[in-house]
Amino acid sequence: RTLREAVFQDLAFTYDLPLKQLSDCLKQYPFVDPAPLDEHLTRMVDPIQEWVAWITRPMWLVEAIHRVGAKVAEHANMTGKVELDLDQFGKFNYPVPIRLRDLQAMVRPFMETKSRHHIHGLDAIIAELVRALLRLYHTVRAWDDTLMDQVKAVAEAEEANDAAEKRIALTNLCATCDMDVFEAAHRLAQVDIAKFALQPGDIEGV
């Protein structure tokens, strides 16, 4: 199973089970206003969906390679390794664990057993929701870290002018983007050789 498939599966699981259970549970209690909770959950899940949509755009790979080429060219007369601004490549930085703590604080008054507003079973639903969102977060982070490592490997190979290492790095990057050989060849053929030194033989090698 690819990281891309794992993210989509975790998203589907989160929507189909704990989020639906939470919504069904809160509807039974008129003293609960679900709007703030819904808004908070939306603010947590939306950045993940937006990141996935950004990374899976057809042109993300081409744009990333162009950025690498521009940075390496800019660094040509400098000493030391080229440093990339990973935020430009879509680095995922949203603090999901902190937002989860905020979520738990929002529902804690309804989980106190001695409270007259206690909601039976809410603690189990919230625990499952937190586990699902953390699993989704860690899957996204794993995919993100792997993508950024591959981008840095492409930059290092380009800076060293090592054709063999560049082919390996590009192959790993395309694989991490979950591309088959045909899509990889199609996307790499769209790379502007004026921005990144990529030859037809490199594409065939990938």
Side-chain angles (χ1 to χ4, degrees), residues 26 32-43 106:
L26 296 182
V32 178
D33 179 9
L37 194 59
D38 289 343
E39 291 171 4
H40 187 76
L41 287 167
T42 299
R43 286 195 297 269
M106 291 174 70

Side-chain angles (χ1 to χ4, degrees), residues 14-128:
T14 303
Y15 275 111
D16 292 344
L17 288 177
L19 278 178
K20 187 175 184 304
Q21 285 182 329
L22 179 62
S23 176
D24 292 344
C25 175
L26 296 182
K27 286 177 182 176
Q28 303 176 38
Y29 298 88
F31 55 80
V32 178
D33 179 9
L37 194 59
D38 289 343
E39 291 171 4
H40 187 76
L41 287 167
T42 299
R43 286 195 297 269
M44 273 200 300
V45 176
D46 278 359
I48 294 176
Q49 293 180 312
E50 290 166 5
W51 180 85
V52 171
W54 172 260
I55 293 298
T56 55
R57 288 181 307 117
M59 289 301 292
W60 180 86
L61 177 70
V62 177
E63 292 169 0
I65 292 174
H66 285 166
R67 287 192 182 96
V68 166
K71 192 64 179 179
V72 171
E74 178 186 316
H75 191 262
N77 298 320
M78 302 179 186
T79 58
K81 289 185 177 181
V82 61
E83 295 290 335
L84 300 176
D85 180 2
L86 295 180
D87 286 338
Q88 294 182 352
F89 296 88
K91 178 71 177 172
F92 185 77
N93 292 314
Y94 192 76
V96 171
I98 295 175
R99 298 294 177 260
L100 284 175
R101 286 199 290 271
D102 295 339
L103 170 67
Q104 291 171 311
M106 291 174 70
V107 298
R108 187 168 294 117
F110 305 112
M111 295 194 294
E112 299 290 342
T113 54
K114 296 182 179 180
S115 171
R116 62 177 180 172
H117 292 146
H118 172 70
I119 299 177
H120 179 71
L122 181 60
D123 52 346
I125 295 172
I126 293 298
E128 185 58 39

